[in-house]
Amino acid sequence: MRIGLITPEPEHPLLAATTALLTPRHRVEAVDPGGWDGAPEDPDSFGALADVYLLKAHMPRALGLARYLEERGAPVLNAVGPTELCQDRTAMADLALRAGLPFARTRTVPALARLGGEELAYPVVIKSRHSRRHDLVARVDDAAGLRALGADWSGEPVVVQPFTENSGWDHKLWVIEGRVFAAVRRSELADPDRGPARSLTPGDLPDGWARLALRVGSVFGLRVYGVDVIDAGGGAPLIVDINAFPGIRGQAGAPEALAELALRTAERGAVPHS
């Protein structure tokens, strides 16, 4: 089998470990999306398609490349549609809440500066609407804090969520085709220098949280994904973020699960897109 990695970082620990498992019998090729300028006039100039592609990048060029590959019939994990959905926090919240998932109530504002004239029920969490590296994620406790944030982010499209009191620890739930991995990590809202995650077993999670993580995949059409959950009190889960193809660092068995999924998908020759 030929497995393509759509990523500028094939040395990422999860991808590197998965590649090491596959290469004794299969060919793994990294495709850097940074050089993608759109579909070539001659499709044959791109070369033969791989049997499956792992989409471990979310920038527009990566999504454009993945869409081109899907249109040519190549299976892509995750599919482009669900991946794009997870980049838009407004669309993410809308779908999650419509599906009855315990997701943070979310309001969209076209620019952070628009909040300056509003009476907000502080504290609130303000995030960039479009998820990306080094985006805005901040707790704001008062009008002075909002003004300070606006000094650097005034034109940023944002979502606003009520702040839910919690322990200051995020539960990181990761899923690879039905297999749940878990860890806890200090929330970036509680501690900017939050340190590494501490691994858990699914049995360490509050009752029902692993099933919730699996349901997220069904709702969003994802097969490799992460769900960030906080304890809103008494073990009640509140989802604060969903990520397509996260890093899943330091989780025993994750590279094996990803390698198995890639091969099964390649053998079937098709990936569900919704």
Side-chain angles (χ1 to χ4, degrees):
M1 295 286 183
R2 289 181 60 223
I3 295 94
L5 308 178
I6 303 176
T7 178
E9 300 176 311
E11 69 280 2
H12 183 284
L14 175 63
L15 295 181
T18 301
T19 296
L21 292 169
L22 290 168
T23 47
R25 297 184 59 190
H26 306 279
R27 183 175 173 184
V28 180
E29 303 169 340
V31 183
D32 187 346
W36 178 252
D37 292 322
E41 292 185 7
D42 177 11
D44 291 336
S45 66
F46 185 84
L49 296 179
D51 296 292
V52 65
Y53 290 89
L54 306 185
L55 177 55
K56 184 70 177 75
H58 303 145
M59 69 279 288
R61 287 190 176 191
L63 296 172
L65 170 58
R67 182 176 293 106
Y68 169 76
L69 294 168
E70 284 185 345
E71 290 171 351
R72 290 190 64 194
V76 178
L77 291 170
N78 294 288
V80 174
T83 301
E84 287 183 318
L85 185 59
C86 291
Q87 300 308 110
D88 183 337
R89 289 189 169 107
T90 297
M92 178 197 304
D94 286 347
L95 176 56
L97 292 168
R98 281 190 284 108
L101 294 171
F103 197 93
R105 289 186 292 111
T106 301
R107 179 167 68 94
T108 303
V109 181
L112 177 63
R114 298 276 190 94
L115 289 173
E118 295 189 17
E119 290 291 333
L120 297 178
Y122 295 105
V124 295
V125 176
I126 298 178
K127 303 177 182 179
S128 296
R129 172 175 178 172
H130 301 289
S131 176
R132 61 192 187 277
R133 284 191 178 184
H134 311 302
D135 61 359
L136 171 62
V137 178
R139 171 177 166 167
V140 179
D141 292 320
D142 51 34
L146 181 62
R147 287 193 297 272
L149 202 63
D152 294 322
W153 297 90
S154 63
E156 180 78 2
V158 297
V159 297
V160 183
Q161 299 169 338
F163 176 77
T164 300
E165 291 293 339
N166 63 91
S167 66
W169 291 85
D170 291 340
H171 284 74
K172 315 286 287 187
L173 310 184
W174 299 292
V175 180
I176 300 177
E177 190 72 334
R179 183 169 175 183
V180 179
F181 303 87
V184 291
R185 188 179 187 187
R186 286 292 286 170
S187 168
E188 61 185 308
L189 299 178
D191 183 0
D193 300 319
R194 52 188 179 153
R198 176 167 56 85
S199 293
L200 302 174
T201 69
D204 295 324
L205 296 171
D207 186 50
W209 285 29
R211 292 192 299 275
L212 174 63
L214 295 174
R215 185 162 176 246
V216 168
S218 177
V219 168
F220 279 78
L222 295 165
R223 301 173 73 185
V224 182
Y225 59 97
V227 186
D228 290 354
V229 184
I230 60 173
D231 187 336
L238 182 69
I239 299 172
V240 295
D241 206 2
I242 299 167
N243 302 287
F245 217 126
I248 320 182
R249 295 175 182 267
Q251 295 296 303
E256 289 80 0
L258 183 57
E260 291 168 7
L261 174 58
L263 293 177
R264 285 199 308 271
T265 303
E267 288 166 359
R268 285 201 301 267
V271 177
H273 289 203
S274 63

